[in-house]
Amino acid sequence: MISCVLHLHIFFRQFSFAGLRRWLVGICCCIACLHTNAATAGEARIAVAANFYSSASALAQAFEQYSSHTLKLSTASTGKLAIQIMHGAPFDVFLAADTRRPQRLIKQGFAVAPASTYAIGQLALFSKAVRLDQLGSSVLLDGSIHRIALANPESAPYGLAAQQFLNSLQLDNKIIRVTGDNVSQALQFADTGNVDAAFVSLGQAKATQGYYTVINSDKITPIKQQAVLLKRAQKNAAALEFLTFLHSPVAKKIITDHGYLTE
């Protein structure tokens, strides 16, 4: 006990009052900084088109490392997500697979202008067994494919693009079309062998074991994917920062690495 008292006495004799004051101020600043970071850390709920979910997951991971915020992702077809938003779903940002739904949400007062194009999608034909990487889309004409899956054209932009392409081939019902709720379900049908092939995004095809070919056709409406801030999130720092992050070099590299183009 006496030894401890002596050590403390020597410490305070060597430690000047000015030094002690600086030390205390530094500690206070650190505490204030930690408090500020905790106070400003936020959360944003992101509605993600089904084709872009894996890409959005990679973006969310990078964003959370870059910022103090967290993101929660929900996915479905673009059309279904838009309907959910109009019925009050508590999303903050909408990553659609087209331009039509974000613009409609802005016009109807559910979202804040402007919407921005974060990715340009590429339609691909995927198969688990048919060597599309060698044969290309010509297999649609030679009888190699009998059942093909596509997302619902009414609610999924990639389904609409697939329908446009198939209609341009004038196949006269030689191929049975199987419709999924969204492009992820169409991919699942092909991945499990329930259909011979499926129309999906290039990003999904690249991430799944099998064969694929990119569909290049002037019969397809360009798949511009837009992001928009929803009205409830106008003061949500996490949502605002994520939308800015989407157009950063880091985000663009992630997007292109996943099979999309950027502007």
Side-chain angles (χ1 to χ4, degrees), residues 4-216:
C4 290
V5 171
L6 287 172
H7 281 299
L8 285 172
H9 177 71
I10 294 169
F11 172 79
F12 282 111
R13 286 188 61 184
Q14 292 177 343
F15 202 104
S16 68
F17 179 76
L20 179 62
R21 183 178 179 182
R22 285 195 297 269
W23 180 76
L24 289 172
V25 168
I27 290 295
C28 291
C29 287
C30 289
I31 293 172
C33 184
L34 290 172
H35 176 75
T36 300
N37 287 338
T40 57
E43 179 182 278
R45 297 190 61 181
I46 316 297
V48 185
N51 72 283
F52 199 72
Y53 183 73
S54 63
S55 307
S57 298
L59 287 168
Q61 184 177 1
F63 176 73
E64 289 175 356
Q65 292 175 350
Y66 155 84
S67 74
S68 58
H69 305 301
T70 57
L71 303 177
K72 285 192 174 180
L73 308 182
S74 299
T75 188
S77 68
T78 292
K80 284 192 174 182
L81 288 172
I83 291 172
Q84 290 175 19
I85 290 166
M86 288 187 284
H87 283 83
F91 298 125
D92 301 303
V93 172
F94 182 24
L95 299 185
D98 65 3
T99 61
R100 184 162 61 95
R101 269 78 171 205
Q103 296 303 326
R104 178 186 295 175
L105 291 173
I106 291 171
K107 186 176 181 180
Q108 295 180 351
F110 295 101
V112 180
S116 62
T117 300
Y118 65 91
I120 300 171
Q122 300 184 78
L123 183 67
L125 182 63
F126 170 86
S127 177
K128 200 71 174 177
V130 181
R131 291 298 303 264
L132 296 173
D133 56 337
Q134 296 178 359
L135 303 172
S137 61
S138 61
V139 296
L140 295 172
L141 301 172
D142 68 9
S144 298
I145 291 177
H146 304 286
R147 289 167 57 85
I148 195 164
L150 65 157
N152 184 350
E154 297 296 322
S155 59
Y158 282 84
L160 176 61
Q163 183 184 65
Q164 291 171 339
F165 179 66
L166 285 173
N167 290 345
S168 73
L169 298 179
Q170 299 180 341
L171 296 172
D172 299 325
N173 298 321
K174 292 179 181 178
I175 296 178
I176 298 172
R177 303 183 189 188
V178 178
T179 303
D181 286 340
N182 54 59
V183 72
S184 293
Q185 190 174 67
L187 175 63
Q188 183 181 16
F189 290 158
D191 192 36
T192 55
N194 290 313
V195 297
D196 301 313
F199 285 103
V200 299
S201 72
L202 176 58
Q204 291 172 303
K206 289 177 67 175
T208 309
Q209 186 175 2
Y211 308 102
Y212 66 89
T213 185
V214 178
I215 303 298
N216 293 309

